PDB file of all heavy atoms in Angstrom:
ATOM      1  N   LEU A 195    -176.944  75.938-170.808  1.00 90.00           N
ATOM      2  CA  LEU A 195    -177.644  76.080-169.557  1.00 90.00           C
ATOM      3  C   LEU A 195    -176.818  75.806-168.318  1.00 90.00           C
ATOM      4  O   LEU A 195    -176.879  76.513-167.335  1.00 90.00           O
ATOM      5  CB  LEU A 195    -178.819  75.164-169.589  1.00 90.00           C
ATOM      6  CG  LEU A 195    -179.794  74.990-168.297  1.00 90.00           C
ATOM      7  CD1 LEU A 195    -180.486  76.299-168.092  1.00 90.00           C
ATOM      8  CD2 LEU A 195    -180.721  73.835-168.454  1.00 90.00           C
ATOM      9  N   PHE A 198    -174.616  78.744-167.706  1.00 91.00           N
ATOM     10  CA  PHE A 198    -175.400  79.813-167.002  1.00 91.00           C
ATOM     11  C   PHE A 198    -175.449  79.524-165.506  1.00 91.00           C
ATOM     12  O   PHE A 198    -175.230  80.441-164.740  1.00 91.00           O
ATOM     13  CB  PHE A 198    -176.879  79.830-167.548  1.00 91.00           C
ATOM     14  CG  PHE A 198    -177.812  80.792-166.859  1.00 91.00           C
ATOM     15  CD1 PHE A 198    -177.912  82.054-167.253  1.00 91.00           C
ATOM     16  CD2 PHE A 198    -178.696  80.224-165.861  1.00 91.00           C
ATOM     17  CE1 PHE A 198    -178.790  82.908-166.607  1.00 91.00           C
ATOM     18  CE2 PHE A 198    -179.536  81.072-165.116  1.00 91.00           C
ATOM     19  CZ  PHE A 198    -179.669  82.427-165.596  1.00 91.00           C
ATOM     20  N   TYR A 199    -175.850  78.325-165.122  1.00 89.00           N
ATOM     21  CA  TYR A 199    -175.829  77.957-163.711  1.00 89.00           C
ATOM     22  C   TYR A 199    -174.408  78.029-163.122  1.00 89.00           C
ATOM     23  O   TYR A 199    -174.222  78.282-161.846  1.00 89.00           O
ATOM     24  CB  TYR A 199    -176.438  76.625-163.552  1.00 89.00           C
ATOM     25  CG  TYR A 199    -177.956  76.615-163.673  1.00 89.00           C
ATOM     26  CD1 TYR A 199    -178.675  75.762-164.558  1.00 89.00           C
ATOM     27  CD2 TYR A 199    -178.771  77.506-162.927  1.00 89.00           C
ATOM     28  CE1 TYR A 199    -180.003  75.729-164.720  1.00 89.00           C
ATOM     29  CE2 TYR A 199    -180.055  77.494-163.104  1.00 89.00           C
ATOM     30  CZ  TYR A 199    -180.725  76.640-163.905  1.00 89.00           C
ATOM     31  OH  TYR A 199    -182.084  76.693-164.067  1.00 89.00           O
ATOM     32  N   ALA A 202    -173.903  81.557-162.103  1.00 87.00           N
ATOM     33  CA  ALA A 202    -174.608  81.833-160.819  1.00 87.00           C
ATOM     34  C   ALA A 202    -173.847  81.271-159.699  1.00 87.00           C
ATOM     35  O   ALA A 202    -173.794  81.841-158.570  1.00 87.00           O
ATOM     36  CB  ALA A 202    -176.113  81.260-160.909  1.00 87.00           C
ATOM     37  N   ASN A 206    -172.474  83.033-156.196  1.00 80.00           N
ATOM     38  CA  ASN A 206    -172.850  82.370-154.760  1.00 80.00           C
ATOM     39  C   ASN A 206    -171.584  82.015-154.066  1.00 80.00           C
ATOM     40  O   ASN A 206    -171.500  82.308-152.856  1.00 80.00           O
ATOM     41  CB  ASN A 206    -173.664  81.206-155.006  1.00 80.00           C
ATOM     42  CG  ASN A 206    -175.044  81.562-155.559  1.00 80.00           C
ATOM     43  OD1 ASN A 206    -175.472  82.634-155.416  1.00 80.00           O
ATOM     44  ND2 ASN A 206    -175.676  80.586-156.316  1.00 80.00           N
ATOM     45  N   PHE A 273    -187.165  69.127-161.680  1.00 75.00           N
ATOM     46  CA  PHE A 273    -186.445  70.426-161.746  1.00 75.00           C
ATOM     47  C   PHE A 273    -185.283  70.285-162.706  1.00 75.00           C
ATOM     48  O   PHE A 273    -184.957  71.165-163.374  1.00 75.00           O
ATOM     49  CB  PHE A 273    -185.939  70.880-160.404  1.00 75.00           C
ATOM     50  CG  PHE A 273    -186.938  71.962-159.813  1.00 75.00           C
ATOM     51  CD1 PHE A 273    -187.893  71.642-158.877  1.00 75.00           C
ATOM     52  CD2 PHE A 273    -186.822  73.253-160.122  1.00 75.00           C
ATOM     53  CE1 PHE A 273    -188.663  72.581-158.280  1.00 75.00           C
ATOM     54  CE2 PHE A 273    -187.592  74.187-159.626  1.00 75.00           C
ATOM     55  CZ  PHE A 273    -188.531  73.892-158.695  1.00 75.00           C
ATOM     56  N   ALA A 307    -173.986  83.458-171.732  1.00 90.00           N
ATOM     57  CA  ALA A 307    -174.677  82.638-170.817  1.00 90.00           C
ATOM     58  C   ALA A 307    -173.856  82.698-169.440  1.00 90.00           C
ATOM     59  O   ALA A 307    -174.569  82.826-168.319  1.00 90.00           O
ATOM     60  CB  ALA A 307    -174.599  81.188-171.198  1.00 90.00           C
ATOM     61  N   LEU A 310    -174.797  86.291-167.895  1.00 88.00           N
ATOM     62  CA  LEU A 310    -176.122  86.245-167.370  1.00 88.00           C
ATOM     63  C   LEU A 310    -176.200  85.516-166.062  1.00 88.00           C
ATOM     64  O   LEU A 310    -176.953  85.884-165.086  1.00 88.00           O
ATOM     65  CB  LEU A 310    -177.116  85.785-168.412  1.00 88.00           C
ATOM     66  CG  LEU A 310    -177.424  86.647-169.629  1.00 88.00           C
ATOM     67  CD1 LEU A 310    -178.239  85.885-170.611  1.00 88.00           C
ATOM     68  CD2 LEU A 310    -178.174  87.870-169.118  1.00 88.00           C
ATOM     69  N   GLY A 311    -175.540  84.405-165.963  1.00 87.00           N
ATOM     70  CA  GLY A 311    -175.544  83.636-164.806  1.00 87.00           C
ATOM     71  C   GLY A 311    -174.920  84.320-163.649  1.00 87.00           C
ATOM     72  O   GLY A 311    -175.426  84.315-162.528  1.00 87.00           O
ATOM     73  N   VAL A 312    -173.806  85.022-163.913  1.00 87.00           N
ATOM     74  CA  VAL A 312    -173.159  85.829-162.829  1.00 87.00           C
ATOM     75  C   VAL A 312    -174.100  86.819-162.347  1.00 87.00           C
ATOM     76  O   VAL A 312    -174.256  87.046-161.075  1.00 87.00           O
ATOM     77  CB  VAL A 312    -171.850  86.391-163.385  1.00 87.00           C
ATOM     78  CG1 VAL A 312    -171.250  87.417-162.273  1.00 87.00           C
ATOM     79  CG2 VAL A 312    -170.770  85.283-163.599  1.00 87.00           C
ATOM     80  N   LEU A 313    -174.714  87.548-163.205  1.00 83.00           N
ATOM     81  CA  LEU A 313    -175.665  88.597-162.774  1.00 83.00           C
ATOM     82  C   LEU A 313    -176.919  88.053-162.148  1.00 83.00           C
ATOM     83  O   LEU A 313    -177.412  88.618-161.119  1.00 83.00           O
ATOM     84  CB  LEU A 313    -176.095  89.425-164.008  1.00 83.00           C
ATOM     85  CG  LEU A 313    -174.998  90.271-164.703  1.00 83.00           C
ATOM     86  CD1 LEU A 313    -175.552  90.935-165.989  1.00 83.00           C
ATOM     87  CD2 LEU A 313    -174.335  91.218-163.758  1.00 83.00           C
ATOM     88  N   GLY A 314    -177.396  86.905-162.608  1.00 76.00           N
ATOM     89  CA  GLY A 314    -178.561  86.313-162.093  1.00 76.00           C
ATOM     90  C   GLY A 314    -178.280  85.677-160.696  1.00 76.00           C
ATOM     91  O   GLY A 314    -179.234  85.504-159.827  1.00 76.00           O
ATOM     92  N   GLY A 315    -177.019  85.396-160.408  1.00 71.00           N
ATOM     93  CA  GLY A 315    -176.707  84.933-159.029  1.00 71.00           C
ATOM     94  C   GLY A 315    -176.988  85.923-157.885  1.00 71.00           C
ATOM     95  O   GLY A 315    -177.071  85.443-156.749  1.00 71.00           O
ATOM     96  N   PHE A 316    -177.061  87.152-158.199  1.00 70.00           N
ATOM     97  CA  PHE A 316    -177.381  88.189-157.226  1.00 70.00           C
ATOM     98  C   PHE A 316    -178.851  88.271-156.921  1.00 70.00           C
ATOM     99  O   PHE A 316    -179.278  88.857-155.922  1.00 70.00           O
ATOM    100  CB  PHE A 316    -176.916  89.626-157.703  1.00 70.00           C
ATOM    101  CG  PHE A 316    -175.414  89.679-157.711  1.00 70.00           C
ATOM    102  CD1 PHE A 316    -174.747  89.613-158.901  1.00 70.00           C
ATOM    103  CD2 PHE A 316    -174.711  89.886-156.556  1.00 70.00           C
ATOM    104  CE1 PHE A 316    -173.315  89.785-159.005  1.00 70.00           C
ATOM    105  CE2 PHE A 316    -173.265  89.991-156.568  1.00 70.00           C
ATOM    106  CZ  PHE A 316    -172.649  89.940-157.806  1.00 70.00           C
ATOM    107  N   ALA A 317    -179.657  87.619-157.807  1.00 64.00           N
ATOM    108  CA  ALA A 317    -181.186  87.674-157.609  1.00 64.00           C
ATOM    109  C   ALA A 317    -181.673  86.234-157.527  1.00 64.00           C
ATOM    110  O   ALA A 317    -181.889  85.615-158.570  1.00 64.00           O
ATOM    111  CB  ALA A 317    -181.859  88.397-158.668  1.00 64.00           C
ATOM    112  N   THR A 318    -181.674  85.751-156.299  1.00 59.00           N
ATOM    113  CA  THR A 318    -182.035  84.276-156.094  1.00 59.00           C
ATOM    114  C   THR A 318    -183.435  83.987-156.647  1.00 59.00           C
ATOM    115  O   THR A 318    -184.388  84.737-156.327  1.00 59.00           O
ATOM    116  CB  THR A 318    -182.006  83.964-154.617  1.00 59.00           C
ATOM    117  OG1 THR A 318    -180.684  84.245-154.098  1.00 59.00           O
ATOM    118  CG2 THR A 318    -182.223  82.502-154.391  1.00 59.00           C
ATOM    119  N   GLY A 319    -183.527  82.873-157.404  1.00 59.00           N
ATOM    120  CA  GLY A 319    -184.821  82.453-157.794  1.00 59.00           C
ATOM    121  C   GLY A 319    -185.245  82.977-159.247  1.00 59.00           C
ATOM    122  O   GLY A 319    -186.307  82.576-159.690  1.00 59.00           O
ATOM    123  N   THR A 320    -184.419  83.794-159.816  1.00 69.00           N
ATOM    124  CA  THR A 320    -184.720  84.323-161.079  1.00 69.00           C
ATOM    125  C   THR A 320    -184.273  83.508-162.258  1.00 69.00           C
ATOM    126  O   THR A 320    -184.516  83.823-163.393  1.00 69.00           O
ATOM    127  CB  THR A 320    -184.311  85.804-161.237  1.00 69.00           C
ATOM    128  OG1 THR A 320    -182.836  85.824-161.111  1.00 69.00           O
ATOM    129  CG2 THR A 320    -184.849  86.669-160.151  1.00 69.00           C
ATOM    130  N   GLY A 321    -183.410  82.475-161.985  1.00 74.00           N
ATOM    131  CA  GLY A 321    -182.789  81.716-163.034  1.00 74.00           C
ATOM    132  C   GLY A 321    -183.722  81.055-163.985  1.00 74.00           C
ATOM    133  O   GLY A 321    -183.634  81.277-165.197  1.00 74.00           O
ATOM    134  N   LEU A 322    -184.757  80.410-163.418  1.00 76.00           N
ATOM    135  CA  LEU A 322    -185.767  79.749-164.288  1.00 76.00           C
ATOM    136  C   LEU A 322    -186.493  80.716-165.170  1.00 76.00           C
ATOM    137  O   LEU A 322    -186.830  80.481-166.361  1.00 76.00           O
ATOM    138  CB  LEU A 322    -186.723  78.913-163.465  1.00 76.00           C
ATOM    139  CG  LEU A 322    -186.160  77.611-162.887  1.00 76.00           C
ATOM    140  CD1 LEU A 322    -187.205  77.003-161.948  1.00 76.00           C
ATOM    141  CD2 LEU A 322    -185.764  76.674-163.982  1.00 76.00           C
ATOM    142  N   LEU A 323    -186.843  81.880-164.521  1.00 79.00           N
ATOM    143  CA  LEU A 323    -187.590  82.971-165.282  1.00 79.00           C
ATOM    144  C   LEU A 323    -186.748  83.507-166.421  1.00 79.00           C
ATOM    145  O   LEU A 323    -187.294  83.701-167.539  1.00 79.00           O
ATOM    146  CB  LEU A 323    -188.074  83.945-164.360  1.00 79.00           C
ATOM    147  CG  LEU A 323    -188.914  83.529-163.130  1.00 79.00           C
ATOM    148  CD1 LEU A 323    -189.323  84.714-162.289  1.00 79.00           C
ATOM    149  CD2 LEU A 323    -190.102  82.774-163.542  1.00 79.00           C
ATOM    150  N   ALA A 324    -185.463  83.740-166.125  1.00 83.00           N
ATOM    151  CA  ALA A 324    -184.664  84.282-167.149  1.00 83.00           C
ATOM    152  C   ALA A 324    -184.367  83.322-168.331  1.00 83.00           C
ATOM    153  O   ALA A 324    -184.516  83.696-169.475  1.00 83.00           O
ATOM    154  CB  ALA A 324    -183.242  84.697-166.554  1.00 83.00           C
ATOM    155  N   ILE A 325    -184.163  82.061-167.929  1.00 86.00           N
ATOM    156  CA  ILE A 325    -184.030  81.010-169.017  1.00 86.00           C
ATOM    157  C   ILE A 325    -185.226  80.908-169.896  1.00 86.00           C
ATOM    158  O   ILE A 325    -185.181  80.737-171.146  1.00 86.00           O
ATOM    159  CB  ILE A 325    -183.636  79.659-168.425  1.00 86.00           C
ATOM    160  CG1 ILE A 325    -182.288  79.783-167.706  1.00 86.00           C
ATOM    161  CG2 ILE A 325    -183.682  78.539-169.400  1.00 86.00           C
ATOM    162  CD1 ILE A 325    -181.930  78.614-166.838  1.00 86.00           C
ATOM    163  N   ALA A 326    -186.408  80.899-169.262  1.00 85.00           N
ATOM    164  CA  ALA A 326    -187.689  80.804-169.957  1.00 85.00           C
ATOM    165  C   ALA A 326    -187.921  82.015-170.981  1.00 85.00           C
ATOM    166  O   ALA A 326    -188.180  81.840-172.091  1.00 85.00           O
ATOM    167  CB  ALA A 326    -188.836  80.736-169.029  1.00 85.00           C
ATOM    168  N   LEU A 327    -187.557  83.240-170.465  1.00 87.00           N
ATOM    169  CA  LEU A 327    -187.664  84.382-171.340  1.00 87.00           C
ATOM    170  C   LEU A 327    -186.763  84.331-172.469  1.00 87.00           C
ATOM    171  O   LEU A 327    -187.079  84.719-173.638  1.00 87.00           O
ATOM    172  CB  LEU A 327    -187.454  85.567-170.410  1.00 87.00           C
ATOM    173  CG  LEU A 327    -187.607  86.965-171.130  1.00 87.00           C
ATOM    174  CD1 LEU A 327    -189.140  87.113-171.677  1.00 87.00           C
ATOM    175  CD2 LEU A 327    -187.335  88.122-170.197  1.00 87.00           C
ATOM    176  N   ILE A 328    -185.468  83.935-172.231  1.00 89.00           N
ATOM    177  CA  ILE A 328    -184.462  83.846-173.314  1.00 89.00           C
ATOM    178  C   ILE A 328    -184.901  82.777-174.306  1.00 89.00           C
ATOM    179  O   ILE A 328    -184.720  82.969-175.533  1.00 89.00           O
ATOM    180  CB  ILE A 328    -183.048  83.448-172.664  1.00 89.00           C
ATOM    181  CG1 ILE A 328    -182.552  84.702-171.848  1.00 89.00           C
ATOM    182  CG2 ILE A 328    -182.098  83.167-173.772  1.00 89.00           C
ATOM    183  CD1 ILE A 328    -181.310  84.383-171.025  1.00 89.00           C
ATOM    184  N   THR A 329    -185.409  81.705-173.848  1.00 91.00           N
ATOM    185  CA  THR A 329    -185.893  80.642-174.743  1.00 91.00           C
ATOM    186  C   THR A 329    -186.942  81.231-175.735  1.00 91.00           C
ATOM    187  O   THR A 329    -186.974  80.941-176.883  1.00 91.00           O
ATOM    188  CB  THR A 329    -186.503  79.450-173.935  1.00 91.00           C
ATOM    189  OG1 THR A 329    -185.563  78.858-173.058  1.00 91.00           O
ATOM    190  CG2 THR A 329    -187.037  78.400-174.897  1.00 91.00           C
ATOM    191  N   PHE A 351    -186.731  72.229-176.097  1.00 93.00           N
ATOM    192  CA  PHE A 351    -186.216  72.799-174.879  1.00 93.00           C
ATOM    193  C   PHE A 351    -187.333  73.469-174.048  1.00 93.00           C
ATOM    194  O   PHE A 351    -187.388  73.406-172.854  1.00 93.00           O
ATOM    195  CB  PHE A 351    -185.058  73.668-175.130  1.00 93.00           C
ATOM    196  CG  PHE A 351    -184.294  74.138-173.935  1.00 93.00           C
ATOM    197  CD1 PHE A 351    -183.654  73.274-173.054  1.00 93.00           C
ATOM    198  CD2 PHE A 351    -184.369  75.492-173.605  1.00 93.00           C
ATOM    199  CE1 PHE A 351    -182.983  73.748-171.938  1.00 93.00           C
ATOM    200  CE2 PHE A 351    -183.760  75.935-172.466  1.00 93.00           C
ATOM    201  CZ  PHE A 351    -183.103  75.122-171.566  1.00 93.00           C
ATOM    202  N   GLN A 355    -188.842  72.775-170.127  1.00 88.00           N
ATOM    203  CA  GLN A 355    -188.930  73.706-169.128  1.00 88.00           C
ATOM    204  C   GLN A 355    -190.262  73.851-168.317  1.00 88.00           C
ATOM    205  O   GLN A 355    -190.368  74.449-167.228  1.00 88.00           O
ATOM    206  CB  GLN A 355    -188.512  75.098-169.617  1.00 88.00           C
ATOM    207  CG  GLN A 355    -187.095  75.208-170.000  1.00 88.00           C
ATOM    208  CD  GLN A 355    -186.779  76.705-170.396  1.00 88.00           C
ATOM    209  OE1 GLN A 355    -186.703  77.525-169.591  1.00 88.00           O
ATOM    210  NE2 GLN A 355    -186.550  76.813-171.663  1.00 88.00           N
ATOM    211  N   PRO A 358    -190.142  72.283-164.476  1.00 80.00           N
ATOM    212  CA  PRO A 358    -189.746  73.061-163.282  1.00 80.00           C
ATOM    213  C   PRO A 358    -190.575  74.271-163.054  1.00 80.00           C
ATOM    214  O   PRO A 358    -190.871  74.719-161.986  1.00 80.00           O
ATOM    215  CB  PRO A 358    -188.321  73.488-163.689  1.00 80.00           C
ATOM    216  CG  PRO A 358    -188.147  73.258-165.138  1.00 80.00           C
ATOM    217  CD  PRO A 358    -189.076  72.182-165.462  1.00 80.00           C
ATOM    218  N   LEU A 359    -191.146  74.907-164.140  1.00 79.00           N
ATOM    219  CA  LEU A 359    -192.035  76.035-163.995  1.00 79.00           C
ATOM    220  C   LEU A 359    -193.269  75.697-163.291  1.00 79.00           C
ATOM    221  O   LEU A 359    -193.919  76.509-162.611  1.00 79.00           O
ATOM    222  CB  LEU A 359    -192.323  76.660-165.312  1.00 79.00           C
ATOM    223  CG  LEU A 359    -191.324  77.601-165.941  1.00 79.00           C
ATOM    224  CD1 LEU A 359    -191.770  78.195-167.238  1.00 79.00           C
ATOM    225  CD2 LEU A 359    -190.946  78.743-165.007  1.00 79.00           C
ATOM    226  N   LEU A 362    -193.216  76.381-159.643  1.00 67.00           N
ATOM    227  CA  LEU A 362    -193.240  77.813-159.298  1.00 67.00           C
ATOM    228  C   LEU A 362    -194.739  78.215-159.340  1.00 67.00           C
ATOM    229  O   LEU A 362    -195.154  79.008-158.585  1.00 67.00           O
ATOM    230  CB  LEU A 362    -192.423  78.710-160.287  1.00 67.00           C
ATOM    231  CG  LEU A 362    -190.908  78.431-160.161  1.00 67.00           C
ATOM    232  CD1 LEU A 362    -190.233  79.392-161.179  1.00 67.00           C
ATOM    233  CD2 LEU A 362    -190.448  78.714-158.817  1.00 67.00           C
ATOM    234  N   VAL A 368    -195.038  83.856-157.517  1.00 60.00           N
ATOM    235  CA  VAL A 368    -194.759  84.753-158.767  1.00 60.00           C
ATOM    236  C   VAL A 368    -195.718  84.360-159.876  1.00 60.00           C
ATOM    237  O   VAL A 368    -195.284  84.311-161.012  1.00 60.00           O
ATOM    238  CB  VAL A 368    -193.265  84.521-159.140  1.00 60.00           C
ATOM    239  CG1 VAL A 368    -192.323  85.230-158.221  1.00 60.00           C
ATOM    240  CG2 VAL A 368    -192.881  83.037-159.198  1.00 60.00           C
ATOM    241  N   VAL A 372    -194.922  83.975-163.891  1.00 76.00           N
ATOM    242  CA  VAL A 372    -194.704  82.546-164.297  1.00 76.00           C
ATOM    243  C   VAL A 372    -195.743  82.130-165.262  1.00 76.00           C
ATOM    244  O   VAL A 372    -195.469  81.439-166.221  1.00 76.00           O
ATOM    245  CB  VAL A 372    -194.656  81.582-163.144  1.00 76.00           C
ATOM    246  CG1 VAL A 372    -194.490  80.182-163.536  1.00 76.00           C
ATOM    247  CG2 VAL A 372    -193.401  81.946-162.222  1.00 76.00           C
ATOM    248  N   LEU A 375    -195.249  83.310-168.827  1.00 83.00           N
ATOM    249  CA  LEU A 375    -194.070  82.681-169.330  1.00 83.00           C
ATOM    250  C   LEU A 375    -194.412  81.127-169.742  1.00 83.00           C
ATOM    251  O   LEU A 375    -193.959  80.699-170.747  1.00 83.00           O
ATOM    252  CB  LEU A 375    -192.911  82.605-168.400  1.00 83.00           C
ATOM    253  CG  LEU A 375    -192.110  83.979-168.366  1.00 83.00           C
ATOM    254  CD1 LEU A 375    -190.997  83.894-167.294  1.00 83.00           C
ATOM    255  CD2 LEU A 375    -191.445  84.193-169.723  1.00 83.00           C
ATOM    256  N   LEU A 379    -194.063  79.456-173.315  1.00 90.00           N
ATOM    257  CA  LEU A 379    -193.302  78.285-173.601  1.00 90.00           C
ATOM    258  C   LEU A 379    -194.082  77.215-174.341  1.00 90.00           C
ATOM    259  O   LEU A 379    -193.600  76.497-175.289  1.00 90.00           O
ATOM    260  CB  LEU A 379    -192.705  77.713-172.283  1.00 90.00           C
ATOM    261  CG  LEU A 379    -191.557  78.470-171.593  1.00 90.00           C
ATOM    262  CD1 LEU A 379    -191.234  77.847-170.282  1.00 90.00           C
ATOM    263  CD2 LEU A 379    -190.402  78.521-172.559  1.00 90.00           C
TER     264      LEU A 379
END
Side-chain angles (χ1 to χ4, degrees):
L195 177 66
F198 174 87
Y199 284 125
N206 294 333
F273 259 100
L310 287 173
V312 169
L313 296 176
F316 290 102
T318 304
T320 61
L322 285 174
L323 303 180
I325 293 167
L327 185 59
I328 293 171
T329 301
F351 186 66
Q355 289 184 73
L359 279 181
L362 294 181
V368 285
V372 176
L375 277 179
L379 287 175

